[in-house]
Amino acid sequence: CSPTVEVNPTLVTTACGSNATVTFNSNSSGFVSYSVEKSVNSGVSWTTLTAAGDYSFNLASGTVTLNVANSLSHDGELFRVLYKGSGTCGNSYSRSAKLVSKPFPTASMPSTVIQCGVGPVSIPVSLTGTAPWTLTYKKVSGGVTTNVTATASQSVFYIKDSPVASTTYTLLSVTDQFCTTDSISADNVFNYYPNPTITLGINPEVCFGTTSVSLPYTATTQNPDQYSITSGIRAMSGFTAVSNAVLGSSPISVTIPAGTAAGTYDFNL
């Protein structure tokens, strides 16, 4: 007349975050009472739980449901149910269930980074959780959006790419061995922009005594809005370098110092 246990719990119950639920024996019969037991030493010894603190449980239609709050504090604990028969009838145990409770993994890049230049990019992504990880990020380049999925075995993963146009990389989600999160900080955006370019016109020639020279230009890329000019190899005496001046429409006007001798001069734009 011992209680009959027909359906056992899942051997491992994985919980992500702060709460977990373990369900026992949906078809148990022949018992008059039950108790829930816990082991913190891999089943060497067991203690009977009371419905208090982080633990609560209930019985409905033969199924015992155990709720564990703050489950991260109970990672690795084992649970089982003792079903008690009536009178001299014996007792039966459910199979034990192990609680695996882990925090949600995280993924982060340097907050809102902007990189200018040419050539490949290598963006570090810092990961927390339990390896291996699968992360998804969005790449927007030249008006085309692509979702990319990658796997990582180390806690720092590098997004490597060779963009040829303005490109934005945004983290979307990350999954580790146990859990998945799609709550990624909006700050995790990496922006890549190719260096701006400008095409200069014919090198200007001016007469002695002229106070300025005009540098015509065409065909800019990446919408430059500032410019700087420094002296080149054949430097003009007295020339004052220009730093981050507003770039207007062509041409660029360069001031020639008074008393500049006739000659050929170089500038870096």
Side-chain angles (χ1 to χ4, degrees):
C1 59
S2 296
T4 300
V5 181
E6 296 182 359
V7 179
N8 288 307
T10 302
L11 284 176
V12 176
T13 296
T14 301
C16 301
S18 60
N19 298 298
T21 299
V22 186
T23 302
F24 293 87
N25 308 301
S26 60
N27 261 329
S28 299
S29 62
F31 65 95
V32 294
S33 63
Y34 74 96
S35 60
V36 180
E37 298 181 351
K38 176 185 78 171
S39 174
V40 295
N41 54 13
S42 300
V44 175
S45 60
W46 295 84
T47 57
T48 301
L49 293 178
T50 57
D54 289 344
Y55 304 104
S56 62
F57 40 84
N58 61 76
L59 172 67
S61 301
T63 297
V64 175
T65 300
L66 167 66
N67 297 299
V68 183
N70 301 312
S71 63
L72 294 176
S73 300
H74 304 286
D75 179 44
E77 293 181 353
L78 298 177
F79 300 95
R80 70 183 182 184
V81 174
L82 170 61
Y83 295 91
K84 300 176 182 179
S86 60
T88 59
C89 292
N91 302 325
S92 295
Y93 283 100
S94 73
R95 188 169 55 175
S96 61
K98 182 178 181 180
L99 175 60
V100 176
S101 183
K102 303 296 182 182
F104 287 108
T106 65
S108 61
M109 293 189 300
S111 298
T112 314
V113 170
I114 296 177
Q115 175 177 317
C116 297
V118 295
V121 295
S122 183
I123 310 166
V125 180
S126 298
L127 302 167
T128 67
T130 306
W133 293 269
T134 300
L135 64 147
T136 301
Y137 61 92
K138 179 175 65 176
K139 171 185 174 181
V140 181
S141 181
V144 177
T145 299
T146 306
N147 286 352
V148 181
T149 298
T151 58
S153 58
Q154 304 295 323
S155 60
V156 178
F157 173 79
Y158 290 88
I159 297 175
K160 295 184 177 182
D161 197 13
S162 298
V164 295
S166 297
T167 306
T168 298
Y169 305 85
T170 306
L171 293 177
L172 299 178
S173 67
V174 61
T175 299
D176 69 356
Q177 180 179 340
F178 299 102
C179 304
T180 299
T181 182
D182 56 6
S183 178
I184 302 289
S185 171
D187 290 336
N188 286 293
V189 177
F190 186 97
N191 299 285
Y192 168 83
Y193 302 102
N195 283 331
T197 63
I198 188 171
T199 301
L200 293 177
I202 298 174
N203 289 332
E205 295 181 357
V206 294
C207 296
F208 176 77
T210 303
T211 57
S212 66
V213 60
S214 295
L215 302 178
Y217 69 86
T218 58
T220 61
T221 64
Q222 303 303 315
N223 301 311
D225 57 8
Q226 294 179 328
Y227 71 95
S228 298
I229 300 178
T230 57
S231 295
I233 295 175
R234 292 172 291 188
M236 178 181 288
S237 177
F239 173 72
T240 300
V242 179
S243 178
N244 295 329
V246 175
L247 179 63
S249 57
S250 179
I252 298 171
S253 180
V254 180
T255 300
I256 300 175
T260 297
T264 300
Y265 300 97
D266 299 321
F267 298 93
N268 300 312
L269 176 62

